[in-house]
Structures are given as C-alpha cells and as structure tokens.
Amino acid sequence: MTTFTLSSPDIASGGTVPQHFEFDGFGCSGRNESPVLQWSGAPEGTQSFAVTVYDPDAPTGSGWWHWFVVDVPATTTALAPNAGAQGSAGLPAGARQIRNDYGSFAWGGVCPPPGDKPHRYIFTVHALGVPKLEIPDDATAALAGFMVNAHTLAKASFTATYGRP
C-alpha cells in the first residue's frame, strides 16, 4: 500500500514558515506568496484534490483559513511557487480558489498577532472521489470544508509554525 504524503521544498514539516510567505498587510510585510506543495501516493479512485492551509490558533473562535483550493485535477502532483496569486493563473486548469479569511480568492500569508506564541499552520491535501465540487464560486470556507470532507478518500498534512515578536 502506498502512503499518501504531502511536502514542500520551501517549508519543512515541523519547521518554521519563512518570513517571505507572510501576508502583506495587517501589520505584516511579507511577499504574500504561496509555497510549493508536492504530494504522492494518492489512493485509487482519486478524481480531484483540494488543498488547504489553516491556522487553528488564530484568535477568532474558529481558526483562520489562509488558502483553500478545490477542483485540482487528479493528474496534478504539485502546486508551483506562488500558485495562490490572485486570479489563479498559477493553478492547474480547472482549479478554483475559495475565499480565504482575508476575504480574497488567493493565498493569504501567515500573520499571527505580534506577541502571540507561534501559530500552527496545517497544510493539507485531500484526495477526493469526485472530479468537481458542487459548490458556488463564492462558497464560504466552511461550506467548501463540509463538501471536501464529505468526498475525501484520504488526506495528507504537515504542520509548520510562525510567530512575530
């Protein structure tokens, strides 16, 4: 049996997110670029993927969605540097970005409040048993998450941290 794995040459599992992946706004001054993500070992029957980046430590009561990509073709095994740019030009054909908690259809970089303990950022790829999620383009991350979880065959994750003094 092949193990489903997710990794990034830009961010080590268990490591620290480099500063250039930080948001540019809210007091943060990074480049707001999404990292390269690579996966392998998707289970048989995978028809598409969803990719998420979530901060469970955000002081919101519900965490913070930094990135939510759905309808990634099943033939895809990686997302390129800055694939999360506004406009989705760097994503594989057919993939869609769901509105993140900054309110944009793009990657929203890490930006924990200054002085908080470092936040955890959970990078996940979901192998889905459907070719396309039946959700509107303006779906919330909560609705997209419900539909992703309803169709997940397997998922692979890694966590990295980031804090600001």
Side-chain angles (χ1 to χ4, degrees), residues 59-157:
T60 64
S62 60
W64 192 271
W65 291 103
H66 286 268
W67 201 23
F68 211 122
V69 184
V70 298
D71 302 340
V72 177
T75 54
T76 305
T77 59
L79 294 180
N82 204 24
Q86 193 81 33
S88 302
L91 290 174
R96 299 185 285 160
Q97 296 185 100
I98 301 301
R99 185 186 340 261
N100 65 32
D101 283 339
Y102 290 110
S104 63
F105 294 87
W107 161 263
V110 299
C111 185
D116 264 15
K117 68 177 175 61
H119 286 204
R120 294 168 292 158
Y121 296 89
I122 304 168
F123 295 76
T124 305
V125 61
H126 297 257
L128 306 179
V130 294
K132 181 174 171 46
L133 289 180
E134 296 301 321
I135 57 174
D137 287 340
D138 65 349
T140 63
L143 174 58
F146 177 86
M147 295 301 287
V148 164
N149 286 317
H151 296 288
T152 294
L153 303 173
K155 64 183 179 177
S157 297

Side-chain angles (χ1 to χ4, degrees), residues 7 10 13 43 106 135-136:
S7 64
D10 298 326
S13 176
I135 57 174

